[in-house]
Amino acid sequence: SQKIEQNSEALNIQEGKTATLTCNYTNYSPAYLQWYRQDPGRGPVFLLLIRENEKEKRKERLKVTFDTTLKQSLFHITASQPADSATYLCALPGGLVFGKGTRLSVIA
Amino acid sequence: GAGVSQSPSNKVTEKGKDVELRCDPISGHTALYWYRQSLGQGLEFLIYFQGNSAPDKSGLPSDRFSAERTGGSVSTLTIQRTQQEDSAVYLCASSPGGGTSLGDYYNEQFFGPGTRLTVL
């Protein structure tokens, strides 16, 4: 069955540094991947979608890469801020399979 | 504009009772999803509706769970004879949708705030 894994449950970094989150998938060749942000007590909010023919996509301080050979997507937040602290989820197409998420804490 | 709404926001029930959770998607969105999220866990897919197509019920954990979507809009998730392991946050999402193939569209999902269900 399709499986998606996010390598870290939690990641702590200092303000101003770049946070890098990893998403690996198996038993699937997705046409795209999505990344979402979830704050405590709230539903996930869509951040970025990257297609299989896109190596990289950027949105403000966010950058996502997609390596179909490694079956991996990397999510970067540059110049991180305490307000970036949240859980970040990756999802396969259709959103039917979500990773468990990585809880990012940015320390001032 | 209005986002996805869910009601109630919190529901406490006794083991063995039936519960109904409601989701109002964004107007015009053809796709609607139900997920549940237990404490510290990821989103678990339950059921998916796309337009007038038969729903994908592959994620429903048991026959105690059912859902319907009336008029292609509001959806109700029903859990019969609730068990303590049903305690979780139930999230609904909608998306503009497209196509009948689950993997062939490129649309983001808009999530509601969720219903926190506690079964005593």
Side-chain angles (χ1 to χ4, degrees):
Chain A
S1 61
Q2 299 163 10
K3 194 173 178 184
I4 197 164
E5 288 183 348
Q6 295 187 244
N7 66 330
S8 299
E9 265 193 37
L11 178 65
N12 298 327
I13 64 166
Q14 281 210 302
E15 183 177 9
K17 301 291 187 183
T18 296
T20 299
L21 286 62
T22 304
C23 177
N24 295 290
Y25 58 91
T26 55
N27 299 326
Y28 201 65
S29 295
Y32 64 88
L33 275 170
Q34 295 181 338
W35 283 88
Y36 288 78
R37 168 182 172 143
Q38 186 173 24
D39 291 283
R42 311 191 72 145
V45 174
F46 172 81
L47 294 175
L48 281 168
L49 179 153
I50 184 165
R51 296 179 171 81
E52 59 179 339
N53 60 348
E54 296 176 316
K55 295 297 184 188
E56 180 182 298
K57 180 169 268 187
R58 291 176 185 262
K59 179 181 175 182
E60 297 173 354
R61 293 183 295 109
L62 308 180
K63 184 179 86 171
V64 173
T65 63
F66 194 7
D67 188 325
T68 55
T69 301
L70 293 178
K71 294 186 179 292
Q72 182 180 84
S73 176
L74 299 180
F75 178 84
H76 305 273
I77 306 175
T78 59
S80 58
Q81 304 168 359
D84 296 326
S85 298
T87 296
Y88 292 86
L89 308 166
C90 62
L92 290 176
L96 303 188
V97 180
F98 276 82
K100 289 189 176 180
T102 296
R103 188 174 66 254
L104 175 68
S105 297
V106 180
I107 303 159
Chain B
V4 177
S5 61
Q6 293 185 244
S7 60
S9 55
N10 279 287
K11 177 71 177 179
V12 180
T13 190
E14 292 180 347
K15 178 181 173 181
K17 300 282 190 183
D18 297 351
V19 295
E20 284 190 353
L21 312 180
R22 176 186 168 108
C23 172
D24 284 84
I26 292 173
S27 178
H29 280 191
T30 60
L32 187 148
Y33 307 77
W34 281 99
Y35 299 87
R36 72 177 174 183
Q37 188 171 35
S38 303
L39 189 64
Q41 300 297 310
L43 272 70
E44 176 188 2
F45 164 72
L46 296 177
I47 188 169
Y48 159 72
F49 296 88
Q50 171 59 55
N52 295 321
S53 302
D56 175 356
K57 304 178 182 180
S58 60
L60 294 179
S62 77
D63 59 8
R64 295 186 296 104
F65 288 72
S66 64
E68 63 177 23
R69 188 179 184 192
T70 53
S73 181
V74 172
S75 177
T76 302
L77 176 70
T78 300
I79 309 173
Q80 297 178 309
R81 305 180 303 282
T82 53
Q83 303 294 312
Q84 289 182 330
E85 61 262 28
D86 299 334
S87 297
V89 175
Y90 289 81
L91 289 159
C92 172
S94 71
S95 80
T100 55
S101 173
L102 299 181
D104 288 343
Y105 59 88
Y106 299 81
N107 288 295
E108 69 181 86
Q109 295 187 35
F110 295 80
F111 282 82
T115 293
R116 180 175 298 279
L117 175 66
T118 303
V119 182
L120 301 176

